Amino acid sequence: MDKLLIIDGTNLLFQMFYGMPSRIINKDGKAIQGTLGFIGAAIKIIKMAAPTHLVILFDGEHPNARTELLAEYKANRPDYSLVAEEDNPFSQIDDVYRALTFMNIRHTEVQQVETDDVIASYAYTYGEQMPIVISSFDSDFFQLINDNVKILRYRGKNTIICDTTYVKEKLNITPHQYADFKSLTGDNADNIKGADKVGPKTAALLLHEFGDLESILTNAESITKPTIQKSILNNTIRLRNNYKLIKLDANATLPFHKKDLKYDYSGITTNEVLSGIGLR
């Protein structure tokens, strides 16, 4: 059976660059720990998922509709153009790209929209045709989970596969309620502020009672706890904007079609890849 593996490349690059025990220099004095970690992890993820189709997507540098909606969106993140090379994951991105090309893995920097929306569009476009595994620690992808779409959180031997049961046990909601849930609670990672006094437990209880965010807002005067009712009523515009920020777009243009993504892992090792691109 066909299976599509989508790797959130920027997410994995950050995880590996900052997760390696030390700065690793090759014989030419070039730092390679980010590339080494990325390729090693990608190979392990490929072995775990055993895909027939594979794509790795990276964030491009461009404005997007979400920053137009909320100027503070992701404004809490560092400007990596100002970060010293030895502390900058993007300092090794060109070597990562060369390694992926050497491995015949389709990859690209996403333009015009956010990478999350392209990944979501892959899930909606092909999710009924074949199982899809999305490798990322970005919890926004929980909203895409269904019987055919799962999230892989790579941690070596402690890797977790997140499915519907995982989301229910962790957050006490269903995956399709995730965008509603985060709209209520906010998302510190993306600098999105939720409703005052509405934490994860309260958000889950509201969703159990009303079903979704819009129903909560429409029936806010029925909320029995006065402080929560007041918070929801006072933040109606913000919460609707939050939903627009958090809900992933299913209509982004796909950079590659299914037929372009066929992949058969050859058994190549990390050292063979690094040697092949001249880093060993």
Side-chain angles (χ1 to χ4, degrees), residues 43-79:
I43 288 173
K44 290 176 183 176
I45 291 167
I46 291 166
K47 288 180 178 179
M48 289 177 184
T52 58
H53 296 71
L54 170 62
V55 64
I56 302 183
L57 301 170
F58 295 85
D59 297 333
E61 292 187 37
H62 51 80
N64 62 73
R66 289 183 175 90
T67 53
E68 293 175 5
L69 183 64
L70 179 69
E72 295 84 6
Y73 178 69
K74 294 187 177 180
N76 54 335
R77 300 190 180 186
D79 179 352

Side-chain angles (χ1 to χ4, degrees), residues 18 39 63 65-66 70 91 96 98 113 116 140 154 163-164 188 203 211 222 226 240 254 263-264:
Y18 291 118
I39 298 305
R66 289 183 175 90
L70 179 69
S91 64
V96 170
R98 290 197 300 123
V113 298
D116 292 8
D140 283 345
Y154 175 74
D163 56 11
T164 299
N188 289 335
S222 301
R240 284 198 172 105
L254 302 182
Y263 186 76
D264 184 14

